Amino acid sequence: MTRVLAVRQVHKGESLQAPDAPKPVTAAADLCLVKLLVGPGFTAEKNKDARSWSDGIGIEVWLPAPANWNERIRNYGGGGWVGGGHRFADKIGSKVPAIVNANIGYVSGTTDAGQPWYQDGSFTFLSNGKVNREAFRDFSVRAMVEQAVKTRALATLYYGRKPKFAYYDGHSQGGRQGLKIVQDHPELYDGYMIAAPAINIPRFGVLSIYPQLVMKTELGFTAADAPRAAAFATKVEAATKRAVATCDKVGLGFLLDNFACDYDPLKDAAALCAGVQVTAVTGTNGDATTCMSAKEATALDKIWYGATDDGSFDALESATTRGGKKLGAHQIWWAFTRGTGLRSAITSTGGDNLALALQDVRYASSPDIANPGIAISNSSTDIRNKWMELDYGGLAKAVKQFEAAQSSLFSDLATDNVDLSKLRRLGGKVIVYNGLVDDAIPPAGNINWHERVAEKMGGNARVAKFMRMYVVPGAAHSSQGRPFAANGKNESVPLPKLPGNANQTPARDQDQFFAALTDWVEKGIAPEDITIASSDGTVVYPVCVYPKKTTWAGGPIGQRTSFACR
C-alpha cells in the first residue's frame, strides 16, 4: 500500500534545509515535492516506540515545473544507515545533491531505506535483541526498487509522458544501493553513476574495528582512552606525512598511486624515537609528540596491512597485493592506503556491523567512543563494547559468521555479485569511481570486485563495453568531493566536479562524471580519461579508465600534458 503524505509547492528562491547541508539550499527553479510512504513496514516489531518499528519506506520525489523538466530521472542514493525526514511533512529527507539535480531539470527521487532515524543503526535490531530481518529486506534492496518504480510513475503522471532516460546516482551506501540494482534489477535504469560503493560490508564493515584490536593488543589501549588514542593518532599523522614525502616522486604532496608506496616506519630512523633500535635502524626523532616506539611503528604497519586472523603483517607486501588483485598471507581484507587520514579510525570506533555479524547488540560501541550515528540503542540490554573482549581470531570468525548469514538474515547486503549478464544484455551503462585515500571504505576492496567482474565477464576489455571504473588520487570519502593531502594543502588536489553545496546549478563541465555517463547512454560515446584540476589551479591531470593509472610523464604539474594514462 502506498500513501501520499504530502504535496508541497516549492518556489524559486525558497530556502530548503537538507539534512547534510551546513546552510540552506536555494531552489533555483519552481519544484513540486511529493512525499510517499510505501508499506508494509517492520511487522515483527510490536513496540511502536522502538527504533526498530517502521510503517513503511519513505520516499521523496522532486518534480521540476513542466517547462523546466529535461525529460529525465536522476534518482539519488542515501548514505550510512540512511533514514531521514522523508515521511514527515515538515521535514526534508533528501540530501543536497538530490535537490540540486532537481534544480537543473531532473526528476529526483530519494528514499529513507525503510526507517526514519537519520544515520542511526538502531533499527537493525528488534527490541528483543534479534536481527530485524524485515529492515534488511527494505534497506538492502526493496527501498531502491520502490524508489525507481514510484519516481517513474509520478513523473509519467505529472508530465503526461514517460521519461526519455532514467539514471541512478549514489555514493557510499548510496553506491552500494545502486550496485544492488545493477546486479539484481538492472532494467530499472539506463545508466548508473556509482561512487565509493559500500559493497563487501561483511568484510570491511566488520573489520573497521581492527585498528582498535591492534591498539589494544600491541599498545594496551583503545579509543576508550581518549588522550592516549589522540596522542597515537598524532604520531600516525606524522608517519603518514613521512610516507607520502618518501613515495611522492612528483612533488604533489599526495600520491598518484598509493598502492605502490611501501613506506615502513620501522625502517625510517627519522620516524622512530631517538635511541630506539630496530634491527639495523636507530631512531633519531627527538620529538616525543611525533616519534614512534618500535611497538607503535609495528602497530601502524599492521593497521596499514589490514586485518589478519592472527595479527600478523607482511613487511614485503607487493603493490599487487595492496591494490586489490589478491589477498596476502592470513589477510582477511584490505585496509586504508598509506597517505590516507587515519585519525578517525584510531580515536573512534564503529562496532555496529560487528554486532550484526555476531547477532549480539552487546558488541556495538557505546556512544562516548563511537562515530556519530554508529551507536545502537536497544532495550534488550544496556551492555555495550564487548568488542573489547575480541582477539584477532574472534574477529575473523565474526566475518565468516556475517557472510554465512547474508541470505537468511541480511538480504545479501554484501552486494558483491559479479555476474552482470543481465545488465550487459539490456544495454545498461555504469561508471564507478573510488578515491585512493578513502577513509571509510578501503578502495582495494572495490577494485577487487571490479577484477572479479572482469574475470567472470570475459576480461577488462569486455567489461569496459558496459562498465568503466576510475580511481581518483587524493580523494577521500565524501559524496560531494573531499580532497586529502597529508601535507595539509588540500586545495592542490584535483577532484572531479560534482553537484552539491558549493555547486548548486552545475553545467555539464561542472558535473563531469555524470556528463560522461549521459553521453555514453544517450550518444554511445564511451568515456575515456577525464581531465580534472585542483581548486587552486596548480595541478591538472587526467583520471583514467581502470586498469590504467594517472602517471606523471615529466614536466610542470600545472600542465595537462605532463601526465598520461598508462
Side-chain angles (χ1 to χ4, degrees):
M1 176 181 175
T2 300
R3 287 188 285 147
V4 177
L5 301 178
V7 178
R8 172 181 168 185
Q9 180 68 51
V10 177
H11 297 286
K12 181 179 180 179
E14 186 175 338
S15 291
L16 302 167
Q17 186 61 61
D20 62 330
K23 60 182 180 179
V25 180
T26 301
D30 291 340
L31 306 169
C32 177
L33 172 60
V34 179
K35 287 173 166 281
L36 305 174
L37 187 67
V38 183
F42 308 156
T43 59
E45 180 58 73
K46 306 305 179 185
N47 179 8
K48 291 189 177 182
D49 294 326
R51 295 200 170 192
S52 48
W53 184 87
S54 171
D55 53 353
I57 297 166
I59 295 175
E60 286 183 350
V61 181
W62 299 82
L63 299 151
N68 295 329
W69 186 40
N70 63 13
E71 299 185 279
R72 288 155 178 79
I73 289 171
R74 183 176 178 178
N75 281 348
Y76 194 71
W81 284 120
V82 198
H86 296 73
R87 64 190 67 206
F88 304 113
D90 61 338
K91 295 181 180 179
I92 291 174
S94 301
K95 290 189 171 185
V96 172
I99 302 172
V100 173
N101 292 340
N103 276 340
I104 59 177
Y106 293 93
V107 169
S108 181
T110 67
T111 172
D112 61 14
Q115 60 92 21
W117 303 100
Y118 185 64
Q119 298 308 323
D120 188 331
S122 301
F123 76 98
T124 59
F125 284 93
L126 297 170
S127 57
N128 62 9
K130 294 183 178 180
V131 172
N132 191 349
R133 295 174 63 178
E134 292 172 315
F136 281 98
R137 169 204 66 194
D138 289 357
F139 185 86
S140 179
V141 63
R142 179 172 169 258
M144 290 79 75
V145 173
E146 294 292 351
Q147 174 190 17
V149 171
K150 296 301 188 292
T151 302
R152 183 180 290 271
L154 266 178
T156 302
L157 179 65
Y158 187 67
Y159 300 110
R161 61 190 188 279
K162 295 180 180 180
K164 289 183 178 179
F165 298 98
Y167 297 94
Y168 181 91
D169 178 357
H171 173 271
S172 191
Q173 185 63 249
R176 186 210 64 82
Q177 291 174 328
L179 283 186
K180 188 67 171 178
I181 299 302
V182 166
Q183 293 166 22
D184 294 358
H185 302 278
E187 71 280 359
L188 293 176
Y189 296 97
D190 301 294
Y192 300 81
M193 189 170 78
I194 307 295
I199 58 175
N200 304 306
I201 287 177
R203 298 271 183 129
F204 90 82
V206 175
L207 297 174
S208 65
I209 205 81
Y210 189 71
Q212 297 300 316
L213 265 64
V214 170
M215 290 158 57
K216 180 190 74 168
T217 306
E218 311 301 331
L219 305 178
F221 62 86
T222 69
D225 188 336
R228 294 179 74 185
F232 180 53
T234 297
K235 295 186 176 192
V236 169
E237 287 176 336
T240 297
K241 290 179 181 179
R242 291 197 58 77
V244 171
T246 300
C247 297
D248 177 17
K249 306 305 181 184
V250 189
L252 294 169
F254 60 95
L255 302 178
L256 292 178
D257 185 0
N258 298 69
F259 299 130
C261 184
D262 61 357
Y263 172 82
D264 184 350
L266 286 170
K267 299 176 182 178
D268 183 1
L272 296 172
C273 295
V276 169
Q277 185 80 36
V278 180
T279 58
V281 178
T282 302
T284 60
N285 188 339
D287 182 353
T289 63
T290 62
C291 76
M292 286 188 154
S293 67
K295 285 187 176 182
E296 288 170 332
T298 299
L300 178 55
D301 275 338
K302 291 187 176 188
I303 291 169
W304 270 336
Y305 184 66
T308 62
D309 57 15
D310 59 0
S312 61
F313 76 98
D314 182 3
L316 300 178
E317 181 187 22
S318 69
T320 298
T321 304
R322 280 191 293 270
K325 295 289 183 68
K326 61 180 181 179
L327 288 167
H330 297 279
Q331 199 173 28
I332 305 170
W333 204 243
W334 293 274
F336 303 118
T337 64
R338 289 162 172 81
T340 298
L342 295 179
R343 177 166 286 272
S344 178
I346 291 166
T347 61
S348 57
T349 67
D352 49 344
N353 281 298
L354 174 63
L356 287 166
L358 295 173
Q359 299 171 39
D360 188 341
V361 72
R362 295 176 300 170
Y363 284 88
S365 303
S366 59
D368 56 321
I369 56 170
N371 283 316
I374 298 298
I376 295 177
S377 302
N378 190 273
S379 60
S380 66
T381 176
D382 292 331
I383 298 173
R384 296 293 184 272
N385 297 324
K386 278 182 69 66
W387 59 266
M388 292 184 181
E389 301 174 11
L390 281 178
D391 58 14
Y392 295 127
L395 187 61
K397 290 179 181 178
V399 170
K400 291 180 180 178
Q401 188 168 326
F402 204 4
E403 290 182 320
Q406 281 299 296
S407 296
S408 60
L409 287 179
F410 302 104
S411 294
D412 292 314
L413 185 66
T415 314
D416 58 351
N417 183 5
V418 297
D419 186 353
L420 304 186
S421 300
K422 187 175 180 180
L423 172 82
R424 179 170 61 185
R425 185 169 65 252
L426 292 172
K429 301 293 187 285
V430 185
I431 288 179
V432 181
Y433 67 93
N434 294 285
L436 273 174
V437 292
D438 192 308
D439 49 352
I441 303 170
N446 290 333
I447 290 172
N448 178 258
W449 176 76
H450 191 94
E451 288 282 343
R452 290 187 290 117
V453 170
E455 182 179 359
K456 173 69 177 180
M457 305 297 294
N460 278 311
R462 290 188 176 183
V463 170
K465 294 180 179 179
F466 60 86
M467 181 169 72
R468 298 193 173 197
M469 182 173 71
Y470 295 82
V471 180
V472 184
H477 198 75
S478 171
S479 62
Q480 298 177 42
R482 179 168 68 91
F484 179 79
N487 65 2
K489 296 181 180 179
N490 293 344
E491 67 280 1
S492 68
V493 179
L495 289 180
K497 293 181 174 64
L498 301 166
N501 284 299
N503 193 13
Q504 293 190 14
T505 54
R508 277 179 51 85
D509 62 344
Q510 297 172 315
D511 198 1
Q512 288 177 281
F513 278 127
F514 192 75
L517 177 63
T518 58
D519 283 349
W520 198 7
V521 170
E522 300 180 22
K523 301 177 184 178
I525 303 172
E528 298 295 342
D529 54 283
I530 296 174
T531 299
I532 60 177
S534 61
S535 62
D536 66 3
T538 60
V539 186
V540 57
Y541 53 57
V543 286
C544 313
V545 178
Y546 183 85
K548 291 183 178 180
K549 301 175 183 179
T550 303
T551 306
W552 185 52
I557 59 176
Q559 292 183 8
R560 165 64 176 80
T561 53
S562 298
F563 298 87
C565 289
R566 294 174 180 169

